[in-house]
Amino acid sequence: MAERIFPGIEEHPDILALRARSERATSTVTAQVMEGLGLLAGLYLAASAWIVGFEGSLPTVAVTNLIAGLAYAFFIGGGFGSAYERTHAMSWAAAGIGVWTIVAPWAVNASRNAHTTAEIVSNVVVGSLAFVLAAGTALLGLRAKRHT
């Protein structure tokens, strides 16, 4: 008796359609620019304590920014690059990291009131930019989903 061979899950028509839709969403110039800027924002956030100069006076905020920046760059910059269908879902997590970046100086260092103006401005600006870029990337994915 002949053995029946079934195609793998990666060849399932629904998976192929999902990948094609996500590929269309990420192949636009707008999406590529937003993801590139998001990657740069995440890398800046990770290094911001050393760039702005508050790593010595506020080490907890420095470590928080380092971890949040690396996570943001991973989520928005294509850490799931081989799984395009997950990229836009992870953008919402990156948007949450953007919001966290805005409130982190006060949430992490609430007992000490040693915030510098440069630290606050840096976190609020990069956190706002990170949120806008991540939400925009996620919305591009939703828009592509509606058009299919």
Side-chain angles (χ1 to χ4, degrees):
M1 181 153 88
E3 183 178 331
R4 291 180 63 175
I5 299 175
F6 295 100
I9 189 69
E10 61 277 348
E11 296 175 22
H12 192 279
D14 291 341
I15 298 291
L16 295 175
L18 185 62
R19 283 192 178 140
R21 183 188 75 225
S22 295
E23 183 66 32
R24 281 191 306 273
T26 59
S27 65
T28 65
V29 174
T30 305
Q32 291 172 352
V33 167
M34 290 175 73
E35 288 179 357
L37 290 174
L39 178 63
L40 290 174
L43 294 176
Y44 171 80
L45 176 60
S48 64
W50 292 270
I51 293 170
V52 175
F54 60 86
E55 78 283 354
S57 59
L58 298 164
T60 54
V61 178
V63 171
T64 299
N65 282 4
L66 176 64
I67 293 168
L70 293 175
Y72 184 86
F74 179 75
F75 285 156
I76 201 77
F80 294 100
S82 63
Y84 295 111
E85 63 272 7
R86 292 188 209 139
T87 303
H88 296 294
M90 297 312 290
S91 295
W92 291 112
I97 292 173
V99 172
W100 167 252
T101 300
I102 295 169
V103 300
W106 296 281
V108 172
N109 206 26
S111 63
R112 291 182 13 200
N113 196 12
H115 300 294
T116 64
T117 304
E119 172 220 357
I120 299 295
V121 169
S122 175
N123 270 39
V124 169
V125 169
V126 77
S128 300
L129 180 64
F131 175 79
V132 167
L133 291 170
T137 302
L139 291 174
L140 284 175
L142 289 176
R143 188 177 75 182
K145 187 176 188 176
R146 277 187 281 169
H147 286 95
T148 57

